[in-house]
Amino acid sequence: MKSLVVYSLVGIFLLVACLEVRADCDEPKGPDDSDLGQFFKKVGCQVKKGAEELSEAAKPYADKIAEGAKSFGSKVAENYDTLKHKLTDESSTTPRGQVPYDAPTEKVPLAPIAPSSPPAL
């Protein structure tokens, strides 16, 4: 429950930062700006700076994860190819038995066809 509240607050601050703060963070307070608006501008600037710092700090980890994913993907592709070739090579050397096809596989009895006469009333 606490994490939901924290995530909600972070989301609200990010929305406010994206929607209301379009000017520079170093812009001085104007005479017609309210204290509440100035507060949200300041908070938006702090969130923006924090997000930039976080993205810079997380970049090496993201690069390591990307390299690991690439190597894992290539290993899976290699294993799939070797398994595929192994199965196709075995199936080409193994003789296949003939499937007997003597009779039709489906037998559906047909209803007798009677002359069409109206029912007696």
Side-chain angles (χ1 to χ4, degrees):
M1 186 67 180
K2 289 180 185 179
S3 62
L4 178 65
V5 173
V6 171
Y7 288 139
S8 299
L9 288 175
V10 169
I12 289 171
F13 283 132
L14 288 176
L15 283 175
V16 168
C18 291
L19 296 177
E20 288 195 23
V21 179
R22 297 287 179 190
D24 286 334
C25 294
D26 298 332
E27 186 177 294
K29 180 180 176 182
D32 57 339
D33 288 344
S34 66
D35 290 334
L36 185 63
Q38 192 66 23
F39 169 75
F40 281 117
K41 282 184 182 180
K42 186 183 288 186
V43 168
C45 289
Q46 290 174 353
V47 168
K48 186 177 178 182
K49 286 180 184 178
E52 289 172 356
E53 291 172 4
L54 180 67
S55 68
E56 289 298 321
K59 195 169 188 171
Y61 299 113
D63 292 339
K64 287 180 184 178
I65 291 172
E67 288 297 320
K70 285 179 186 177
S71 65
F72 177 73
S74 64
K75 285 179 185 177
V76 168
E78 288 176 14
N79 289 340
Y80 174 75
D81 287 340
T82 56
L83 180 65
K84 181 180 172 184
H85 289 300
K86 181 180 176 183
L87 291 176
T88 55
D89 291 343
E90 286 179 3
S91 65
S92 65
T93 58
T94 307
R96 293 186 179 184
Q98 292 292 331
V99 177
Y101 186 72
D102 296 345
T105 57
E106 298 180 14
K107 293 183 180 180
V108 179
L110 298 175
I113 299 175
S116 61
S117 61
L121 292 176

PDB file of all heavy atoms in Angstrom, residues 8 10 13 23 25 34 37 39 55-56 62 66 69 85-86 88 95 100 103 109 112 118 120:
ATOM      1  N   SER A   8       2.220   6.786  -6.870  1.00  0.00           N
ATOM      2  CA  SER A   8       1.219   7.775  -7.277  1.00  0.00           C
ATOM      3  C   SER A   8       1.773   9.189  -7.147  1.00  0.00           C
ATOM      4  O   SER A   8       1.587  10.018  -8.040  1.00  0.00           O
ATOM      5  CB  SER A   8      -0.046   7.637  -6.437  1.00  0.00           C
ATOM      6  OG  SER A   8      -0.615   6.373  -6.591  1.00  0.00           O
ATOM      7  N   VAL A  10       4.934  10.112  -7.164  1.00  0.00           N
ATOM      8  CA  VAL A  10       5.977  10.301  -8.173  1.00  0.00           C
ATOM      9  C   VAL A  10       5.340  10.553  -9.537  1.00  0.00           C
ATOM     10  O   VAL A  10       5.781  11.426 -10.301  1.00  0.00           O
ATOM     11  CB  VAL A  10       6.930   9.093  -8.211  1.00  0.00           C
ATOM     12  CG1 VAL A  10       7.843   9.151  -9.425  1.00  0.00           C
ATOM     13  CG2 VAL A  10       7.743   9.028  -6.936  1.00  0.00           C
ATOM     14  N   PHE A  13       3.957  14.111  -9.641  1.00  0.00           N
ATOM     15  CA  PHE A  13       5.029  15.088  -9.798  1.00  0.00           C
ATOM     16  C   PHE A  13       5.600  15.074 -11.211  1.00  0.00           C
ATOM     17  O   PHE A  13       5.916  16.123 -11.767  1.00  0.00           O
ATOM     18  CB  PHE A  13       6.144  14.851  -8.778  1.00  0.00           C
ATOM     19  CG  PHE A  13       5.807  15.331  -7.401  1.00  0.00           C
ATOM     20  CD1 PHE A  13       6.011  14.522  -6.302  1.00  0.00           C
ATOM     21  CD2 PHE A  13       5.287  16.601  -7.186  1.00  0.00           C
ATOM     22  CE1 PHE A  13       5.702  14.958  -5.030  1.00  0.00           C
ATOM     23  CE2 PHE A  13       4.979  17.050  -5.917  1.00  0.00           C
ATOM     24  CZ  PHE A  13       5.184  16.227  -4.835  1.00  0.00           C
ATOM     25  N   ALA A  23       9.617  26.029 -19.022  1.00  0.00           N
ATOM     26  CA  ALA A  23      10.644  27.081 -19.036  1.00  0.00           C
ATOM     27  C   ALA A  23      11.899  26.576 -18.349  1.00  0.00           C
ATOM     28  O   ALA A  23      11.944  25.492 -17.792  1.00  0.00           O
ATOM     29  CB  ALA A  23      10.115  28.317 -18.324  1.00  0.00           C
ATOM     30  N   CYS A  25      14.762  26.250 -15.548  1.00  0.00           N
ATOM     31  CA  CYS A  25      14.663  26.170 -14.094  1.00  0.00           C
ATOM     32  C   CYS A  25      15.288  27.390 -13.418  1.00  0.00           C
ATOM     33  O   CYS A  25      14.998  27.675 -12.266  1.00  0.00           O
ATOM     34  CB  CYS A  25      15.333  24.901 -13.586  1.00  0.00           C
ATOM     35  SG  CYS A  25      14.496  23.409 -14.123  1.00  0.00           S
ATOM     36  N   SER A  34       2.161  32.774  -8.792  1.00  0.00           N
ATOM     37  CA  SER A  34       1.747  32.482  -7.416  1.00  0.00           C
ATOM     38  C   SER A  34       2.801  31.620  -6.732  1.00  0.00           C
ATOM     39  O   SER A  34       3.664  31.032  -7.383  1.00  0.00           O
ATOM     40  CB  SER A  34       0.394  31.765  -7.408  1.00  0.00           C
ATOM     41  OG  SER A  34       0.529  30.490  -7.998  1.00  0.00           O
ATOM     42  N   GLY A  37       2.392  27.961  -7.825  1.00  0.00           N
ATOM     43  CA  GLY A  37       2.964  27.694  -9.151  1.00  0.00           C
ATOM     44  C   GLY A  37       4.468  27.639  -9.108  1.00  0.00           C
ATOM     45  O   GLY A  37       5.097  26.798  -9.766  1.00  0.00           O
ATOM     46  N   PHE A  39       6.242  26.806  -6.532  1.00  0.00           N
ATOM     47  CA  PHE A  39       6.598  25.571  -5.832  1.00  0.00           C
ATOM     48  C   PHE A  39       6.618  24.398  -6.804  1.00  0.00           C
ATOM     49  O   PHE A  39       7.554  23.603  -6.823  1.00  0.00           O
ATOM     50  CB  PHE A  39       5.606  25.301  -4.690  1.00  0.00           C
ATOM     51  CG  PHE A  39       5.727  23.941  -4.093  1.00  0.00           C
ATOM     52  CD1 PHE A  39       6.776  23.620  -3.248  1.00  0.00           C
ATOM     53  CD2 PHE A  39       4.800  22.948  -4.398  1.00  0.00           C
ATOM     54  CE1 PHE A  39       6.897  22.359  -2.708  1.00  0.00           C
ATOM     55  CE2 PHE A  39       4.907  21.685  -3.862  1.00  0.00           C
ATOM     56  CZ  PHE A  39       5.957  21.384  -3.009  1.00  0.00           C
ATOM     57  N   SER A  55      19.261   8.571 -15.064  1.00  0.00           N
ATOM     58  CA  SER A  55      19.497   7.936 -16.364  1.00  0.00           C
ATOM     59  C   SER A  55      20.995   7.803 -16.644  1.00  0.00           C
ATOM     60  O   SER A  55      21.428   6.805 -17.228  1.00  0.00           O
ATOM     61  CB  SER A  55      18.807   8.728 -17.472  1.00  0.00           C
ATOM     62  OG  SER A  55      19.420   9.980 -17.634  1.00  0.00           O
ATOM     63  N   GLU A  56      21.767   8.786 -16.237  1.00  0.00           N
ATOM     64  CA  GLU A  56      23.218   8.696 -16.429  1.00  0.00           C
ATOM     65  C   GLU A  56      23.825   7.609 -15.545  1.00  0.00           C
ATOM     66  O   GLU A  56      24.734   6.898 -15.953  1.00  0.00           O
ATOM     67  CB  GLU A  56      23.884  10.038 -16.137  1.00  0.00           C
ATOM     68  CG  GLU A  56      23.601  11.089 -17.184  1.00  0.00           C
ATOM     69  CD  GLU A  56      24.136  10.708 -18.551  1.00  0.00           C
ATOM     70  OE1 GLU A  56      25.241  10.142 -18.626  1.00  0.00           O
ATOM     71  OE2 GLU A  56      23.430  10.973 -19.538  1.00  0.00           O
ATOM     72  N   ALA A  62      22.357  -0.676 -17.852  1.00  0.00           N
ATOM     73  CA  ALA A  62      21.540  -0.977 -19.031  1.00  0.00           C
ATOM     74  C   ALA A  62      22.406  -1.563 -20.142  1.00  0.00           C
ATOM     75  O   ALA A  62      21.973  -2.489 -20.852  1.00  0.00           O
ATOM     76  CB  ALA A  62      20.826   0.278 -19.509  1.00  0.00           C
ATOM     77  N   ALA A  66      21.981  -5.213 -21.809  1.00  0.00           N
ATOM     78  CA  ALA A  66      21.835  -5.358 -23.258  1.00  0.00           C
ATOM     79  C   ALA A  66      22.855  -6.350 -23.808  1.00  0.00           C
ATOM     80  O   ALA A  66      22.511  -7.188 -24.662  1.00  0.00           O
ATOM     81  CB  ALA A  66      21.993  -4.002 -23.934  1.00  0.00           C
ATOM     82  N   ALA A  69      21.766  -9.824 -22.849  1.00  0.00           N
ATOM     83  CA  ALA A  69      20.626 -10.275 -23.652  1.00  0.00           C
ATOM     84  C   ALA A  69      21.072 -10.671 -25.055  1.00  0.00           C
ATOM     85  O   ALA A  69      20.575 -11.660 -25.612  1.00  0.00           O
ATOM     86  CB  ALA A  69      19.576  -9.175 -23.719  1.00  0.00           C
ATOM     87  N   HIS A  85      19.478 -29.042 -36.986  1.00  0.00           N
ATOM     88  CA  HIS A  85      20.294 -29.835 -37.913  1.00  0.00           C
ATOM     89  C   HIS A  85      20.419 -31.278 -37.434  1.00  0.00           C
ATOM     90  O   HIS A  85      20.409 -32.209 -38.244  1.00  0.00           O
ATOM     91  CB  HIS A  85      21.678 -29.206 -38.086  1.00  0.00           C
ATOM     92  CG  HIS A  85      21.646 -27.937 -38.855  1.00  0.00           C
ATOM     93  ND1 HIS A  85      21.188 -27.856 -40.140  1.00  0.00           N
ATOM     94  CD2 HIS A  85      22.011 -26.685 -38.510  1.00  0.00           C
ATOM     95  CE1 HIS A  85      21.270 -26.617 -40.563  1.00  0.00           C
ATOM     96  NE2 HIS A  85      21.769 -25.875 -39.589  1.00  0.00           N
ATOM     97  N   LYS A  86      20.515 -31.467 -36.145  1.00  0.00           N
ATOM     98  CA  LYS A  86      20.616 -32.818 -35.606  1.00  0.00           C
ATOM     99  C   LYS A  86      19.345 -33.604 -35.908  1.00  0.00           C
ATOM    100  O   LYS A  86      19.404 -34.761 -36.341  1.00  0.00           O
ATOM    101  CB  LYS A  86      20.860 -32.755 -34.097  1.00  0.00           C
ATOM    102  CG  LYS A  86      21.015 -34.093 -33.436  1.00  0.00           C
ATOM    103  CD  LYS A  86      21.259 -33.925 -31.948  1.00  0.00           C
ATOM    104  CE  LYS A  86      21.322 -35.273 -31.257  1.00  0.00           C
ATOM    105  NZ  LYS A  86      21.484 -35.142 -29.809  1.00  0.00           N
ATOM    106  N   THR A  88      17.093 -32.995 -38.312  1.00  0.00           N
ATOM    107  CA  THR A  88      16.911 -33.211 -39.752  1.00  0.00           C
ATOM    108  C   THR A  88      17.900 -34.238 -40.272  1.00  0.00           C
ATOM    109  O   THR A  88      17.566 -35.011 -41.169  1.00  0.00           O
ATOM    110  CB  THR A  88      17.073 -31.888 -40.535  1.00  0.00           C
ATOM    111  OG1 THR A  88      18.328 -31.309 -40.230  1.00  0.00           O
ATOM    112  CG2 THR A  88      15.956 -30.921 -40.206  1.00  0.00           C
ATOM    113  N   PRO A  95      15.200 -44.791 -42.080  1.00  0.00           N
ATOM    114  CA  PRO A  95      14.210 -45.133 -43.101  1.00  0.00           C
ATOM    115  C   PRO A  95      12.789 -44.999 -42.525  1.00  0.00           C
ATOM    116  O   PRO A  95      12.523 -45.329 -41.377  1.00  0.00           O
ATOM    117  CB  PRO A  95      14.530 -46.585 -43.457  1.00  0.00           C
ATOM    118  CG  PRO A  95      15.247 -47.114 -42.268  1.00  0.00           C
ATOM    119  CD  PRO A  95      15.957 -45.950 -41.641  1.00  0.00           C
ATOM    120  N   PRO A 100       0.157 -47.901 -44.737  1.00  0.00           N
ATOM    121  CA  PRO A 100      -0.780 -48.614 -45.615  1.00  0.00           C
ATOM    122  C   PRO A 100      -2.029 -47.775 -45.847  1.00  0.00           C
ATOM    123  O   PRO A 100      -2.601 -47.202 -44.926  1.00  0.00           O
ATOM    124  CB  PRO A 100      -1.098 -49.891 -44.851  1.00  0.00           C
ATOM    125  CG  PRO A 100      -0.815 -49.576 -43.426  1.00  0.00           C
ATOM    126  CD  PRO A 100       0.269 -48.539 -43.437  1.00  0.00           C
ATOM    127  N   ALA A 103      -7.948 -48.675 -47.509  1.00  0.00           N
ATOM    128  CA  ALA A 103      -9.357 -48.305 -47.584  1.00  0.00           C
ATOM    129  C   ALA A 103      -9.513 -46.858 -47.144  1.00  0.00           C
ATOM    130  O   ALA A 103      -8.620 -46.279 -46.526  1.00  0.00           O
ATOM    131  CB  ALA A 103     -10.170 -49.228 -46.675  1.00  0.00           C
ATOM    132  N   PRO A 109     -22.216 -43.937 -42.837  1.00  0.00           N
ATOM    133  CA  PRO A 109     -23.399 -44.570 -43.447  1.00  0.00           C
ATOM    134  C   PRO A 109     -24.390 -43.498 -43.886  1.00  0.00           C
ATOM    135  O   PRO A 109     -24.645 -42.538 -43.177  1.00  0.00           O
ATOM    136  CB  PRO A 109     -23.963 -45.429 -42.316  1.00  0.00           C
ATOM    137  CG  PRO A 109     -23.441 -44.814 -41.067  1.00  0.00           C
ATOM    138  CD  PRO A 109     -22.135 -44.171 -41.416  1.00  0.00           C
ATOM    139  N   PRO A 112     -31.106 -43.925 -45.981  1.00  0.00           N
ATOM    140  CA  PRO A 112     -31.777 -44.382 -47.212  1.00  0.00           C
ATOM    141  C   PRO A 112     -32.576 -43.230 -47.821  1.00  0.00           C
ATOM    142  O   PRO A 112     -33.205 -42.443 -47.122  1.00  0.00           O
ATOM    143  CB  PRO A 112     -32.686 -45.501 -46.744  1.00  0.00           C
ATOM    144  CG  PRO A 112     -32.842 -45.309 -45.297  1.00  0.00           C
ATOM    145  CD  PRO A 112     -31.619 -44.587 -44.805  1.00  0.00           C
ATOM    146  N   PRO A 118     -45.599 -36.252 -49.544  1.00  0.00           N
ATOM    147  CA  PRO A 118     -46.052 -35.470 -48.410  1.00  0.00           C
ATOM    148  C   PRO A 118     -46.663 -36.366 -47.348  1.00  0.00           C
ATOM    149  O   PRO A 118     -47.281 -37.391 -47.663  1.00  0.00           O
ATOM    150  CB  PRO A 118     -47.074 -34.505 -49.003  1.00  0.00           C
ATOM    151  CG  PRO A 118     -47.487 -35.116 -50.296  1.00  0.00           C
ATOM    152  CD  PRO A 118     -46.355 -35.980 -50.752  1.00  0.00           C
ATOM    153  N   ALA A 120     -49.179 -37.933 -44.744  1.00  0.00           N
ATOM    154  CA  ALA A 120     -50.636 -38.025 -44.732  1.00  0.00           C
ATOM    155  C   ALA A 120     -51.197 -37.310 -43.528  1.00  0.00           C
ATOM    156  O   ALA A 120     -50.723 -37.497 -42.412  1.00  0.00           O
ATOM    157  CB  ALA A 120     -51.073 -39.475 -44.727  1.00  0.00           C
TER     158      ALA A 120
END
